[in-house]
Amino acid sequence: MDSFLDLFDPGTSPPSNCDVWPAEDNDDVTARLPPEPQMGNVEYKLKLINPSKLRFEHLVTQLKWRLREGHGEAIYEIGVEDTGMLTGLSAEDMKSSLITLDEMARKLGATTSVLRERSVKKDKMVAEVLVRKVPDDQECIEVMVAVLGGADAGKSTLLGVLAHGEFDNGRGSARLNVLRHLHELRSGRTSSISHEILGFDTEGDVINYQKARTAEEIRDRSSKLITFLDLAGHKKYLKTTVAGLSGYCPHHVMLVVSSPAVTVSSPTQLDMTKEHMDLALALRLPFCIVVTKTDITPADNTIKWLESILKSIGCRKVPFVVKSDDDVLTASSAQPTQNVVPIFTISSVTGEDLDLLTKFLYVLPPSISIKDKERLEQECCQFQIDEIFKVPDIGTIVGGVLVQGVVNIGTELVIGPFDNGTFVPVTVQSIHRNKAPRRVVKATQSASLSLEQSIPGLRNGMVLLGSGVNHSACIFFQARIVVLYHATSIHNGFQTTVHIGNIRQTAAIVAIMECDKRGMHTNDTASVIFKFARHPEYVTEGMRLLFREGQTKGIGIVTQVFALQVVAG
């Protein structure tokens, strides 16, 4: 029998068990959704009409649980039975049910917005409603999206259009608001990691720099905030791109492909597109694909090329071309559980279908649950340093991601490890997030911290740790690795660039267990011992690693750390 991927015809319809709604004015009463899931943030309700007080309290408790499962967002299907049957309600009953749902949401301090409505009979209809509640200890729901793609694919231009609300002039005017350095402005190519933000209010309206003057105002007016991580596309800066993906731990990846690149056969851009897709797959990050520059070249050939890659044995994803608002919601609901990869075709010059991508970002959920986030916040502080700045009259500023714990102004931490494996005490003087001052930063959030002391010898890859964490660095560590590709075989002494969180350093394999004299080949798995080449790093068991050298690629998990013995004095 053919596999599920072979049976699915991409670009025409989603898999049969996706969240498929009938077309407008469709009288097919047999149309249905999958049975209601027991876990997750999706709830089916046939009707919510004049519930008793006891029933209302039960419904509110149920909504609270669904919101917790959905990281602050829940989807309610009104007019749908638990079996998934689209029974529908009359217009009067639907209005009454939506009023009840709104009252339930207000009881929890949440808001509701109708995503779509459809007729299932001449006088019956169903509705899909998004319920959103910003957690009490957060100002808004945050999602970090890493933007990948080859050079000249239009990544920075697209972010400039999204964040500033003005279309490009066809010559890269929109990207001028995004690029950070003079050489980037001259070449038009991103070489560093930059951030852009896009906000949404409770009604789903976009809040960007066209509607707000500052990043702080965007944040204050938004119930949901998308932080874009603009990463370099040129092969020359691949190490920077991998470091950004590994260090910042984004929730989602947006892979940008230029439509003309396939038509004119641009091997450099297409090779980098496949390289970046492999990175997202290796790190198990959900991703969507955006085909740009459709005003220059139709996207048909590009979509066929993408479909062939996504359905290949090494990827086994289900491509789904988004053409309507319904497709956006279908792709969003099917993506986490059914390996669906949404494909958008847009133009940054004409704005074609840009609204579909924006709506997808509006309903895009973060990948970490509130329960997991609360657990991380209870643990001792660990802040990964990705950038270091020296600012006159202010001192040292470090930027990065707080992996676990909570940091306030005045928090006392230690920073390191230095070349001798030691850590130095520091105090946090101020905190900035999304270009605005803050008093606190919590687990999974990125931020910039100003330190009271000016400390020489700082480098990217260091960490800030709380007092309750074991402050020990290592030169040697053991990991269970899988070789994704190697042209020949890997033996003792093999050197490669290792990425572990914010760490990027050359390391050598000094011992391979469970391996004969043939060495390790493509698809082989073994436990190996690595040795850092230059200086000790802070590594803990359970951290994911990615290594690459030329065409060689591999992934793994740290299983044991051999702490460096620091000699006093």
Side-chain angles (χ1 to χ4, degrees), residues 154-167:
K155 302 184 298 299
S156 298
T157 298
L158 174 59
L159 293 189
V161 171
L162 290 172
H164 294 268
E166 296 180 1
F167 295 152

Side-chain angles (χ1 to χ4, degrees), residues 12 157-158 182 193 244 246 313 335 386 390 417 446 543:
T12 57
T157 298
L158 174 59
L182 181 60
I193 301 173
S246 177
I313 295 176
Q335 185 183 27
D386 296 296
K390 299 287 186 179
S446 59
M543 297 180 73

Side-chain angles (χ1 to χ4, degrees), residues 144 244-251 285 384 401 403 501:
M144 180 174 286
L245 272 179
S246 177
Y248 279 92
C249 306
H251 302 122
L285 294 172
Q384 296 181 345
V401 176
V403 179

